[in-house]
Amino acid sequence: VSFAMALTHVMEGVLTTSRSMTLEEELRAFQEYRKAAGSEHFSCLPSRAFQSLDEYLEYLRGNMQLATFDVELTGGAQFRRLMSEVEVFLRFSEISAQTKKRDVIQARGVSMGNLTWRDVVVKLLSTEAHAPLQRRVQYVGERIKWFFELQKEAVLDFMDSLRGSPSASMYSPLYP
C-alpha cells in the first residue's frame, strides 16, 4: 500500500487506536507545538475575552457543545472536528478599533468620481480588519498543517500494521 492510498484509508476512517486524541488534547498539543516552533505571529485564542486556553476549551465544551469534544478521534473524523473548531475560532473575527466620524469623513475623501457609502465601508474594513483577520487565517493554516503532520504518523502506523498481516490484502491497490 502506498502512502497516498494509506492516507485515503486513514481519512476515510480506518480504525486505529494510535494517535487518536480528544479536542482538548489536540489543542493543548498544538499550543505546545507552536511554542516549541517559536511561532508567535498569531494567537491560539480567538478573542481577548479568553484569558487562557482553559477558558476557550470550556467555551467549546459548554457553549458550543461540540459533539465530539471528549471523543478520541483520528483521520477524517478528527479533520471534521478541526474544521468545526476553526469555524468557531473565525467567528470571533472583529474590528477592535472604534470607527470615529473623522475616520469615515477621511475615508470618503475628496473624490472626483462617484464614491458610494459602500465603497467607504469597504475601504474602512480593508484597513482596520485586514491584520486581525490575517492572524486568524494564519491560525487556521497552522492548525491544518499540524493536523496533516500528525496524520503522517497515523498513516505510517497503519501501513506498519498491514505489513505481513492477513488484512493487507484488503487494502491492496489491485482491488478497486
Side-chain angles (χ1 to χ4, degrees):
V1 175
S2 70
F3 184 85
M5 290 294 291
L7 175 63
T8 301
H9 292 303
V10 168
M11 292 302 287
E12 287 177 349
V14 163
L15 296 177
T16 60
T17 55
S18 65
R19 315 285 185 218
S20 59
M21 58 180 72
T22 66
L23 183 58
E24 181 174 354
E25 293 168 343
E26 186 178 336
L27 289 175
R28 289 190 188 284
F30 176 69
Q31 192 172 46
E32 290 301 316
Y33 162 80
R34 183 177 156 264
K35 286 180 184 176
S39 178
E40 298 294 328
H41 56 281
F42 63 89
S43 174
C44 284
L45 301 174
S47 170
R48 292 184 184 145
F50 299 105
Q51 299 299 315
S52 67
L53 181 60
D54 291 327
E55 287 183 16
Y56 180 49
L57 289 168
E58 188 56 39
Y59 175 80
L60 291 172
R61 179 183 283 121
N63 294 32
M64 296 311 299
Q65 298 177 351
L66 293 177
T68 58
F69 186 90
D70 291 316
V71 179
E72 290 187 354
L73 299 174
T74 190
Q78 184 182 11
F79 184 74
R80 282 190 289 282
R81 182 178 64 194
L82 164 98
M83 295 309 289
S84 296
E85 185 267 325
V86 297
E87 180 183 342
V88 170
F89 190 91
L90 285 174
R91 286 182 189 171
F92 282 93
S93 298
E94 61 185 13
I95 299 174
S96 59
Q98 294 291 326
T99 304
K100 296 178 178 47
K101 182 178 178 181
R102 180 181 53 84
D103 298 331
V104 174
I105 293 170
Q106 189 172 4
R108 175 96 173 157
V110 178
S111 175
M112 298 302 284
N114 190 11
L115 186 66
T116 65
W117 285 110
R118 183 180 190 282
D119 297 332
V120 172
V121 170
V122 167
K123 189 174 184 181
L124 286 170
L125 287 176
S126 67
T127 57
E128 297 295 329
H130 182 73
L133 186 59
Q134 184 179 21
R135 285 191 297 275
R136 284 178 175 78
V137 170
Q138 285 175 335
Y139 168 83
V140 172
E142 287 290 324
R143 283 276 284 129
I144 292 171
K145 175 185 152 192
W146 183 73
F147 166 80
F148 280 108
E149 288 175 0
L150 288 181
Q151 294 312 301
K152 177 181 175 184
E153 296 170 11
V155 169
L156 293 175
D157 288 348
F158 171 67
M159 291 172 73
D160 286 341
S161 73
L162 290 179
R163 190 171 298 136
S165 74
S167 59
S169 61
M170 288 180 13
Y171 298 102
S172 172
L174 300 175
Y175 297 114

